[in-house]
Amino acid sequence: MNENLYFVLKMAAMAGELFFSAFLFTRSLPFRKKAWIFDVGIAALLALLCYAAYAWAKKVPSFNKETIRALFGFAMGTIVVFGIVFQKNERVAPTFFFINLGFAAAYFSDRIGALLETTLLATGAFAAYSPWLLLFYLLPTVLFFFGVFFLFRNNFSPIRADIYTAPFFIYLPFFTLLVSMVLFYLGGMIQNVHQIFDLILITSEALYGLIDLLLLYALMRQRQNDFSLYILKQLWEKDRKNYELQKETVAMINVKCHDMRHQIRALEAKNGTLDPKMIESVTKSINVYESVVKTGNEVLDVILSDYSLRCQKNQVQLTYMVDGALLNSLQEMDIYSLFGNLLENALEYEQKVSPSENRFVFLSVKLDQGTVLIHEENYFQGEVHLKDGIVETSKPDKTLHGYGMLSMRQLAEKYGGSMRVYGDCDMFQVDIRLPQQKEEAK
């Protein structure tokens, strides 16, 4: 293989790295209609640039080829950036962020391949421009790239794209391109001095690529944690409003039912002409809505009163053995959020269970081994899929769903407790343990 053919194949490899890294790392972002046209256009322009670089490289000495590679590499990367941005039906900043992540992965992988290539060349294992040398350059490049891609793949969620909206994300791909191409150029210059210096530079480039990836990963995790915290705060605020509303509703229903009971008794005593069956039917209806739950904790009383009615409506058997006084040291809104999420998840699943005879929810709050044990169980079929100790939501929209369990765990940890989720014998079970504390004024 001659020098010029070797050069153009490495240019083609660079073009492929840039295109596929940007494409794969942005694949979860929504596409525009007929997005394939952009793919064809990008591929055609990259092929044209590879040919132009090859034509130019044939006319210059060997030490100038890395300059050509750096210039055309930057041009290729720029074409890929704008092609992918126009292809996506998404805001610009998130697309630029994921493109930059792809470029960083491609650059790191390329430098690993170049490190092996230069080492083999320096030791004399293969002659310069050998097909085997090119193979040992490409193989680790591809393997490391897909290794990085699979490491990051769970973070490419389109529903979280709006957390990457900082304006500086737009400049990141061009900065990565510029730095990498400058380093390519310097590598070409140093290679003509001594190969040991080339090895040192390539090792430094690989370390830079690794640091770049780690920094981007840390930034990604920080953004996602901030997003999760924002969602939890929104949910807690929603819980606060729901609690105030439910508290007022339960109180109003109990007052009305109490008044209706006295009115029925007054009418019955006045003339005794009311139909006994009608009186019995109305009284039963009143008893349902006037069922006052007394657990020793006012917030828990409101929650259980509400869910008792909802379970009855959905033919779900709700039973509970609760010592609410054990929770009096917790803040009211924390109690509401904790038990609201716990019972809401259970009821949401149980109302889909068929036949209805299998629907049940059991809740208990008691002292166990010196700790307050909150235990919930309900009928469940299938396997419990956990991620980081939290049940993965089965709903397609994971932006606002799946955070209930996370909220419960954070509330347990807030009081120095823990949460355990497990499935056994057709039952889904949640255990929340909290340290026993003295009652505190809220």
Side-chain angles (χ1 to χ4, degrees):
M1 184 184 298
N2 62 46
E3 180 183 0
N4 290 326
L5 180 57
Y6 193 87
F7 171 79
V8 76
L9 289 175
K10 291 194 72 173
M11 285 298 301
M14 177 188 287
E17 289 171 10
L18 291 170
F19 177 70
F20 284 108
S21 64
F23 179 81
L24 287 176
F25 277 69
T26 60
R27 82 193 195 289
S28 62
L29 300 177
F31 288 89
R32 296 183 187 274
K33 293 182 178 178
K34 298 183 179 179
W36 62 270
I37 296 176
F38 291 94
D39 294 333
V40 173
I42 294 171
L45 287 173
L46 292 181
L48 184 62
L49 283 177
C50 282
Y51 178 78
Y54 171 69
W56 189 6
K58 289 194 300 183
K59 301 177 181 180
V60 299
S62 298
F63 63 86
N64 282 334
K65 284 182 169 55
E66 288 302 318
T67 304
I68 297 174
R69 187 183 183 206
L71 289 174
F72 277 83
F74 187 84
M76 288 176 178
T78 303
I79 288 172
V80 169
V81 168
F82 285 105
I84 295 294
V85 166
F86 285 120
Q87 182 192 55
K88 299 296 180 180
N89 188 22
E90 179 59 75
R91 281 173 289 183
V92 173
T95 307
F96 272 97
F97 177 84
F98 286 112
I99 290 174
N100 182 67
L101 189 59
F103 281 176
Y107 179 72
F108 171 68
S109 305
D110 181 271
R111 293 298 82 193
I112 295 295
L115 185 61
L116 181 59
E117 175 195 29
T118 306
T119 302
L120 293 173
L121 187 61
T123 57
F126 298 106
Y129 315 123
S130 165
W132 287 104
L133 194 63
L134 182 63
L135 178 63
F136 278 99
Y137 159 73
L138 292 175
L139 188 60
T141 299
V142 172
L143 292 177
F144 270 85
F145 174 76
F146 280 102
V148 173
F149 172 74
F150 283 111
L151 179 66
F152 281 83
R153 71 187 187 280
N154 291 330
N155 297 284
F156 305 146
S157 177
I159 60 176
R160 293 181 177 176
D162 59 345
I163 67 178
Y164 305 103
T165 55
F168 77 91
F169 287 149
I170 296 174
Y171 307 108
L172 285 177
F174 301 104
F175 177 77
T176 299
L177 275 174
L178 182 61
V179 172
S180 60
M181 296 311 157
V182 168
L183 291 173
F184 280 151
Y185 170 76
L186 292 176
M189 297 299 100
I190 291 177
Q191 186 176 12
N192 294 281
V193 179
H194 200 286
Q195 286 183 336
I196 189 65
F197 294 115
D198 195 29
L199 281 171
I200 293 173
L201 180 63
I202 293 175
T203 302
S204 302
E205 291 173 350
L207 288 174
Y208 161 75
L210 179 60
I211 292 171
D212 191 19
L213 274 174
L214 293 176
L215 288 175
L216 287 170
Y217 181 75
L219 179 61
M220 178 186 294
R221 296 296 298 178
Q222 179 188 355
R223 290 272 169 167
Q224 291 178 351
N225 289 337
D226 291 344
F227 178 74
S228 297
L229 183 59
Y230 168 77
I231 293 295
L232 288 177
K233 286 182 177 179
Q234 294 293 316
L235 292 175
W236 290 336
E237 177 62 20
K238 182 181 177 181
D239 287 341
R240 184 189 66 80
K241 294 178 180 179
N242 286 342
Y243 170 60
E244 295 297 334
L245 180 62
Q246 284 187 11
K247 186 177 179 180
E248 293 176 4
T249 302
V250 170
M252 182 177 65
I253 289 175
N254 286 335
V255 169
K256 293 294 183 181
C257 289
H258 182 75
D259 292 344
M260 287 179 64
R261 187 186 297 278
H262 281 290
Q263 291 172 7
I264 290 174
R265 287 174 180 171
L267 288 172
E268 189 177 19
K270 184 176 181 180
N271 50 30
T273 58
L274 294 178
D275 185 354
K277 292 184 177 180
M278 184 188 72
I279 293 176
E280 183 180 1
S281 176
V282 174
T283 301
K284 285 183 178 179
S285 298
I286 292 174
N287 288 337
V288 169
Y289 287 97
E290 199 185 20
S291 56
V292 180
V293 178
K294 294 295 183 183
T295 65
N297 184 280
E298 183 181 358
V299 182
L300 203 51
D301 294 346
V302 171
I303 295 172
L304 288 176
S305 296
D306 176 63
Y307 278 93
S308 293
L309 296 175
R310 292 177 60 186
C311 284
Q312 186 173 30
K313 177 182 177 182
N314 290 281
Q315 297 179 296
V316 178
Q317 181 184 355
L318 172 65
T319 55
Y320 48 86
M321 298 175 61
V322 174
D323 183 358
L326 296 173
L327 305 172
N328 286 339
S329 61
L330 277 62
Q331 295 181 5
E332 287 187 349
M333 286 316 307
D334 291 343
I335 297 173
Y336 184 85
S337 295
L338 184 64
F339 285 90
N341 280 310
L342 190 61
L343 292 172
E344 184 65 31
N345 290 339
L347 177 57
E348 186 175 330
Y349 180 84
E350 290 305 307
Q351 62 190 11
K352 301 174 185 176
V353 171
S354 181
S356 60
E357 289 77 12
N358 290 336
R359 301 174 185 174
F360 80 91
V361 177
F362 173 75
L363 176 70
S364 68
V365 178
K366 63 181 181 180
L367 277 178
D368 181 72
Q369 300 178 359
T371 63
V372 178
L373 174 61
I374 301 169
H375 176 78
E376 184 275 330
E377 61 186 48
N378 57 273
Y379 179 80
F380 180 81
Q381 284 184 323
E383 295 182 4
V384 179
H385 298 284
L386 301 178
K387 181 180 180 181
D388 298 328
I390 300 294
V391 178
E392 288 190 287
T393 179
S394 58
K395 298 178 181 178
D397 180 9
K398 295 178 173 57
T399 306
L400 295 176
H401 298 297
Y403 284 90
M405 281 280 181
L406 179 60
S407 173
M408 290 161 53
R409 185 172 70 181
Q410 289 200 356
L411 288 172
E413 292 173 351
K414 175 181 176 180
Y415 292 94
S418 61
M419 183 178 78
R420 179 184 174 226
V421 179
Y422 55 102
D424 186 35
C425 299
D426 292 333
M427 285 196 299
F428 176 83
Q429 303 182 63
V430 180
D431 284 342
I432 299 174
R433 288 188 179 273
L434 302 173
Q436 185 179 5
Q437 301 178 17
K438 296 181 180 179
E439 183 177 344
E440 299 171 356
K442 301 184 184 70

